[in-house]
Amino acid sequence: MTKILVVDDEPQILRALRINLAARQYEVAVAADGASALREAAEWHPDLVVLDLGLPDIDGVDVIHGLRGWTQMPIVVLSGRAGNQDKIDALDAGADDYVTKPFSIEEFLARIRAVSRRAAFQEAELARIQLGEHTVDLVGKTVSGGLRLTPTEWHILEILLRNPGKLIPQRYLLTEVWGSKHVKETHYLRQYMAQLRKKFERDPAHPTHLITEPGMGYRFTP
């Protein structure tokens, strides 16, 4: 079931979208402000985000930047701002589509389906990724040459490979892999990243693909 996070500070909009999306077999979570949206996205990991720009605490464009710092999940803006510059700013920040309020629910749902199809196509393209001398199949969970990974190694590696060139914060990785109670256990990441480098890097002491950004997080460089 596709998971959609709806972010809007208008209760009637949240209720209407939750009912209409749930009726079409989407799993729905809601957030009424930017901080809650970023937290929910990191913890729940939706497949798609519907985002209003006029939030009470953080501007929606800044929320897009925050999400794009670590994920490529589709973002559909649903906003009362109809100006061209608002649309340009949102799309430049990384939004995938822009729907202006008031809107037709049928058109909105069609946009959701279209964005989801594009995301599925991109997902298929990302299924096989070259990492050093190995090819990683993210769908089949296999690595060329018969190289084997533990479930935890797979989880960390998949997050990095699905976000090429992106800095993935330590806190996000720890929360996603081990849960929110372990956000200070950075030694977990150091240990597992060392194991992954031994398996994939030609010179693990001087990695070229699985990069540490000291004090911040990790990055996959194709």
Side-chain angles (χ1 to χ4, degrees):
M1 183 180 291
T2 301
K3 297 161 61 177
I4 298 181
L5 172 61
V6 181
V7 186
D8 202 301
D9 63 339
E10 298 182 48
Q12 63 271 30
I13 293 289
L14 289 180
R15 182 175 182 274
L17 291 182
R18 181 166 51 194
I19 291 171
N20 278 280
L21 289 169
R24 289 160 177 84
Q25 306 306 308
Y26 292 105
E27 186 176 353
V28 185
V30 298
D33 57 60
S36 299
L38 292 170
R39 183 169 59 253
E40 187 74 17
E43 294 177 356
W44 192 52
H45 209 55
D47 300 302
L48 184 145
V49 175
V50 176
L51 176 68
D52 182 25
L53 295 184
L55 300 173
D57 57 344
I58 305 173
D59 188 79
V61 172
D62 292 327
V63 174
I64 296 172
H65 282 298
L67 292 171
R68 284 291 174 256
W70 60 269
T71 180
Q72 290 301 311
M73 70 177 73
I75 300 171
V76 177
V77 169
L78 183 61
S79 179
R81 301 179 186 176
N84 284 336
Q85 191 58 51
D86 293 310
K87 295 180 182 179
I88 291 169
D89 290 344
L91 294 170
D92 281 348
D96 295 271
D97 204 349
Y98 195 110
V99 180
T100 303
K101 298 176 182 178
F103 60 94
S104 157
I105 190 65
E106 293 304 328
E107 178 190 353
F108 167 75
L109 292 168
R111 299 285 189 97
I112 293 292
R113 292 192 295 271
V115 168
S116 296
R117 284 195 298 270
R118 290 199 298 271
F121 178 76
Q122 292 168 354
E123 175 84 3
E125 288 188 320
L126 283 173
R128 298 174 67 83
I129 297 175
Q130 193 68 28
L131 177 51
E133 298 176 353
H134 294 278
T135 300
V136 181
D137 183 343
L138 294 178
V139 175
K141 299 290 186 185
T142 60
V143 181
S144 63
L147 186 64
R148 294 187 178 277
L149 302 183
T150 69
T152 301
E153 288 172 341
W154 266 114
H155 201 165
I156 295 171
L157 187 65
E158 184 168 0
I159 293 171
L160 293 170
L161 295 189
R162 290 186 184 280
N163 296 278
K166 300 281 188 180
L167 172 64
I168 308 300
Q170 292 178 347
R171 184 183 183 88
Y172 174 75
L173 280 169
L174 287 164
T175 299
E176 186 69 12
V177 178
W178 287 281
S180 58
K181 294 181 179 180
H182 299 276
V183 294
K184 296 183 180 180
E185 309 292 345
T186 55
H187 62 282
Y188 289 1
L189 286 174
R190 288 195 297 271
Q191 175 185 342
Y192 278 95
M193 288 301 295
Q195 292 172 192
L196 286 169
R197 287 180 180 127
K198 287 179 182 178
K199 293 180 177 181
F200 288 101
E201 296 281 2
R202 182 169 296 178
D203 181 359
H206 301 90
T208 57
H209 300 294
L210 302 174
I211 308 299
T212 298
E213 300 290 351
M216 294 187 291
Y218 297 89
R219 189 190 309 270
F220 163 55
T221 302

